[in-house]
Every structure is written in structure tokens, then in C-alpha cells.
Amino acid sequence: MHPSSIKYQTDRSSIYELPLRAAEALGKRAERGYISKKQRGLQALHTCSLNLQMTTAASYFDRKPNAAPRPGLAHLQADPSSPHTPQRTFSSTFSSPSLSYRAEEEILVFELGARHLSAGIAGESNPRCRFGFHPENGRRVGDYRFYYPEYQDRPRKRKRDYNWGEEHELWRMDLRGVDLGLVEDKIERAVREAYTKYLLLDSKNKRLLLVLPSLLPHRLLSSILTTIFSNFQTPSITLFSSPTVNVVAAGCRAGLVVDIGWDETVITGVYDFREIQVFRTARAMKLVTKHMAELLKESADPAAASTEGPELSENDKTRLPFQLSFDSRYFDFAEEVVSRIAWCPTEPDATPQPQQNPDPAEKSPSQSPKTKIPETISIPSPLPPRQTLQIPFTQLAQPVEKGLLAQGSNIQTLDLEEQPLPQLIYTTLLSLPTDVRAACISRIIITGGGSHIAGLKTRLLNDLTSIIAARGWNPVQGRAARAVAKDPKPDQSRAAGTMLEPQVEDEITEKLEKEKMKRCPAEMVGEVRGVETLGAWAGGSLVASLKVKGVVEVEREMFLANGLAGARREFEMVAATQRMSLGARTGLGEKNGWTLGNWG
């Protein structure tokens, strides 16, 4: 036996007995002739040193007890034949995923308009911030002129009709006088402030859903996407049109969206989340603010307002461009008055009469208490000379009626982009197919900044009902159409023909229709009805939280490489889809490209 194969039981022998036993074993091996006597001492010392190292630095497996059961505890061992709980094995297929897969990707939702930017996180009901593009927000660092006491009283540059509210707008549809570089700087500043102050998120790994108007110039759309991709490293942007997400926020699939914006009012017919027909008019809040500024100026200085400017006819005053010059401070004053006090009567000739403090003894007990309408409204003017304007309450409705309803103007002399809102709503419904019209007329969604004016929604629906009752759905208007409507003459050739036999009623079909009506109630179709919406941003937040793939998804690498020129047209996308259905397959790493959708 070799010395290295000797097993030492350190638990039964002390450390001092090991050298003696090793020496005895070597002595026996030497007597048998295996080793010489000279090497006996060296072998013994070497073996003792090895055993000391093994004893002092023993591993865990050397220290653990023997696995064999003790004789006295053999009756406690489990019997394989006895019933016992088997060891459970977990499959990776049904196990819960790791924590890294549970982390949900946050999607940011931005709504960008001509005068504001709203930003927030998908799944929330309201945006976390909303920015307006005011000229004071674009001051340079260290410019504190706005806080000087005399700054508000300084004379300002006078505004003509063509640039009214220009400093408060982010863009205009007519890009001939728009500085796109300045537009990009304003967007970058607003988005960066939203990220750093309100969202507090890293923009490099967050997808973005951008809600835009349904019509934008390609140069402006390219500037918006380039600014976001270049400065914030957003991986992808999904574009949604404002009318579509407004329908989603209203809980409908179809509807007629009346967006009363700043520069124009857009009326869009949406069916099954697709835009069918779009009409536009220049009658929007910009025109209402102009009329309100004119009213305030006449109340502040009637003599100057009557003598300033050329003499205009009554028809020219009611049309869109009227020649009046204003101080730039009138814009903020007029806009605040419109947002706070402007109203619209619900009927064309139903102007509420102010109460003249009636005698309590003459009041009948059947009358219900009503809110008292004051004769005049006192409005403190912030413009020099600082005074309190006394304006009749009924006159505060005139800017809304003139700007949006074209009161006092001849509709026959107005162009299509100057039509009043009820007439344009009727024209949009008339241009829709019959089934789409029946679904949209009962889901009229009035949204935008102008929809918050008191009484405006009811007035639009009442005027639309009156137009439908007077004209019906006949697209032909005029003297001949009215004559046919008064004295309809049946077609003699059809009357002389063979009469159709009456249809036999089917009992089974009637029973099926009754059962269907019990399960799902009938939808309201064909009646004029308004539907409330939560807004475009809330609709975009809802769509983003559902993880719905958008029609227009722009990837950062593809856009920076090719710009808008890399977008494919609609018919190209359809042709590619048809080729794939016939058997052609694209590679795993190949991307199908993207399309501009409604903005193409």
C-alpha cells in the first residue's frame, strides 16, 4: 500500500497519534523490502506534515458526517412503499416571468396645436402640463423688462388685420411668412421644459404619441419631427389626427367632430375611426377675439373708434377682413374677456331681458327663482387710461354671433371658407353617404377652445335642427327645389307600371329581431344629438395605453436617413400587402417602411 492511499480518521485519533502510526506502517514496508531504512525518517516526516495540513484545513465534505444511517435510527427512515408527498418540480413554461419582463414601457403623449402644447404619460386622464406660446415666454436670459412698473403702460406696435395674434401663434397654415427656424426653437424649448420640470423622464428610451391637426404642410411636419428626433433622441413617434382621438375620447366609433380652433374651424366626418369628409372655415376664435377687441375699443373711446379708419359699408363690416388697427395690448385684454364673459344665446332671437327688480308683492307663487341678469357688466381695463368699462350684457354675445354664426350678413355672398358653423355642419352631413350620415348626426362632437363658450353648443344644435327641418336632405336648393317640394308630381310612367306585391311577413325573422333587441339595445340613429368628449389628449392617452399599433409610426433611424421622402404612399403599401398575400415574404430583419396616412 502506498503512503498516499492511507486513510486517516481524524475524528477518532488525535493529531499526535498520526506520526506513530505512519512510522509503524513504513517500518513494516521496509522489513518487507519495499523501501530502505535510510528513507524511513524522511518518509515519516513528510507524511506527518501532509496529515497536519489535511487535518487543519479540512474542507466541508471531509467534516460532514457519514451518510449511512445509525443503527438505532433505522426505523425512522422513510419507506418507499408508504404514502408520502413527492418532490414537486416547477416547469419554466408555467412559471412567472422575471421582474425585467414585468416592467411596462411608458409611452408619452404630446398634443401640439397652433397655440399650445400638452404633455403627459399614457394611461392618465389629464396632461401633466400645458404650455401656451406667449411672446413673453421667448425672452432672453436676463431680460426683466416685463417686471418693470412702467412696462405695461408703454406704447406698443399697432397691429393690422393680417398679423393679428401673430406673436401668440406657433405656426400658420400659410408658411410664406413663417420662420420655421423660430418654430423649431419654440418647440424645442417647450418640450425640454416639459421633460425637465413635469415629466421627469429620460426621453431616449420612451416612445412618443403625437396628436396633430389632420392637415399640416409637409415642411411644418418635417420641422416638428426633426426637432424631436434630433434633440431628444426619441426612438419612434406615432402620429394620430385630432378628430380621430376625439371620437375615441367620446366613446364612439363614428361621429361628426366640430373642432372650433384658433385660426380655423374644422368639421370632420369620422366613421369606424376613419376620416371620411373634411370641411373648413375661417370662422374661429381668432375672428371672435377681433370682434371683442373692436367692442372693447368702442366702449373705451367711442369717438376715436367711430372716426378712425375708412368708412365701411354694413356688408363689409360683417365680412372677415375689416380694417381696424389695435394696440398689441388689446389682444390679451380681448382674449381674457372672451374666455371669461363671452356667451351665445341658445335661440336666434332669444335675447334674455334683464330683470328690473320686480315688486315682491306682484310675483306669483308659481314662478321659480331665476338667476338675475344684470343690465351692464363692469370690466376694469388694464390699458391706459385705466378705467372701468360699462358694457351691456347683451352686447357681449355679439362677437360670438358675428364671428361664428355670421349674424347680419348675407350667406349667399359668402365663400365656402366663410360659411357660418351651422350651415357648414349641414353641408358636411349632406356630403356624407346615407349610412355614415345616420351614424354621425346623432354623435356630433363639439370640441376645441371655442366650445367652452356658454350656450354655443346648444345654439349650433338648434340651428342645425332648423336647417334640416326647412330643407331636408335635398342637395338642390333654390326656387325650383322649393316648387317641387310644395307640389310634388308622381311619375306617371311608374304609376302605370305593374304594382309590386306586398311583402309577406316572416315570423321567424321578427322573433330573431326581437331577441336581438333584448340582448343589445338599439342605437340612436338619425336624430340630432350632441356627445361630450374628454378631449384630444385624453383620447391619445387612451389609445396609447391600449398598445394599439398606429397607422403612421415613424422610426428615428429611417426618418433621419431619408426624411419625409422615405415615407411610402398608400397605394404602394396596399400593393406590398397584396404581394405578401400571394406568397412573397420579407426577411426577418427587413422593415416594411412607413406611410404618412392623412398627412400624405
Side-chain angles (χ1 to χ4, degrees), residues 26 45 126 147 184 194 196 331 340 375 378 462 503 531:
L26 292 174
L45 294 175
N126 295 315
Y147 300 100
E184 294 177 1
T196 55
F331 182 89
R340 290 174 178 266
E375 296 183 6
S378 300
N462 292 340
Q503 185 178 2
V531 178

Side-chain angles (χ1 to χ4, degrees), residues 322-390:
F322 57 93
Q323 300 297 327
L324 280 176
S325 60
F326 296 101
D327 194 298
S328 60
R329 292 168 294 182
Y330 269 97
F331 182 89
D332 298 330
F333 185 30
E335 188 176 27
E336 184 176 3
V337 172
V338 168
S339 61
R340 290 174 178 266
I341 315 176
W343 65 285
C344 180
T346 57
E347 297 294 338
D349 299 329
T351 302
Q353 298 296 332
Q355 296 182 0
Q356 301 292 338
N357 297 325
D359 188 2
E362 298 179 359
K363 183 178 178 180
S364 61
S366 61
Q367 287 182 341
S368 59
K370 296 182 180 180
T371 304
K372 293 183 179 181
I373 301 176
E375 296 183 6
T376 58
I377 299 294
S378 300
I379 303 176
S381 175
L383 306 179
R386 301 181 183 275
Q387 56 181 337
T388 301
L389 305 181
Q390 300 293 334

